[in-house]
Amino acid sequence: QVQLVESGGGSVQAGGSLRLSCAASQYISDTVCMGWFRQAPGKTREGVATINSRGDKTYAPSVTGRFTIYQDNAKNTLFLQMNSLKPEDTAMYYCATRTGGSCTAGTPEWLFRYWGQGTQVTVPS
């Protein structure tokens, strides 16, 4: 029923920037937390950044100071601005939403209800 669609991925040299976006097929009125996750081959999915209904933001230590999460005024589009990209940022990036509870980059991914299909980010070494 509800679809999240990520876009903006691609290949960029180390030190470069990308902006990812996540658009919802419809407004999810009960969404109070939105986040970005990523998964590299052979690794588990990890939280990258979150934003709650108050606008509070959290980041994984590995991206703090380099990535910024934000949303549009209608709160139906989520963005991730990624600067100073490193090869270790290479992964499939996913957006996700949940209705309540904790909303941090450390919140387990299985608590999020809706997920996008992912967009690939590649930073060559």
Side-chain angles (χ1 to χ4, degrees), residues 12-20 38 48 59 62-70 79-90 93 121 123:
V12 63
Q13 295 297 314
S17 298
L18 285 173
R19 187 182 71 170
L20 307 183
R38 66 185 182 185
V48 175
Y59 299 93
S62 60
V63 307
T64 297
R66 299 187 299 117
F67 291 10
T68 302
I69 186 172
Y70 63 100
F79 300 93
L80 183 68
Q81 178 66 46
M82 305 184 295
N83 298 325
S84 302
L85 283 163
K86 305 175 180 179
E88 51 263 45
D89 295 318
T90 296
Y93 283 72
V121 172
V123 186

